[in-house]
């Protein structure tokens, strides 16, 4: 769990999610909002995959 909390990729994803959540609450609901959420989901998947791969690489080295 600690590897996810202290990862800069995950911190960036959380910050982006916060901004998209604010935009969802206050902004217009159109196709751009859907694209923002899709982009955020893809970014989250990449960040999670990167953290897992880095953890696996560190485990192999030791």
């Amino acid at each position: 769990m600690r590897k996810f909390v202290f990862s800069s990729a995950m911190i960036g994803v959380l910050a982006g999610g916060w901004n998209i959540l604010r935009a969802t609450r206050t902004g217009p609901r159109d196709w751009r909002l859907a694209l923002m959420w899709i982009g955020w989901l893809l970014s989250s998947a990449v960040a999670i995959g990167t953290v897992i791969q880095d953890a696996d690489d560190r485990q192999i080295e030791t």
Side-chain angles (χ1 to χ4, degrees):
M1 183 68 178
R2 191 174 9 165
K3 62 186 171 187
F4 288 103
V5 174
F6 294 118
S7 169
S8 61
M10 291 305 294
I11 292 170
V13 164
L14 290 175
W18 179 256
N19 288 331
I20 292 173
L21 186 61
R22 283 189 2 207
T24 301
R25 288 182 184 166
T26 61
R29 299 190 190 271
D30 58 359
W31 58 273
R32 290 174 289 187
L33 183 63
L35 287 180
M36 285 176 27
W37 278 107
I38 290 169
W40 181 79
L41 288 172
L42 292 173
S43 297
S44 299
V46 169
I48 291 169
T50 300
V51 170
I52 291 172
Q53 186 177 11
D54 287 345
D56 288 344
D57 290 345
R58 286 184 189 147
Q59 192 175 28
I60 290 172
E61 290 175 1
T62 58

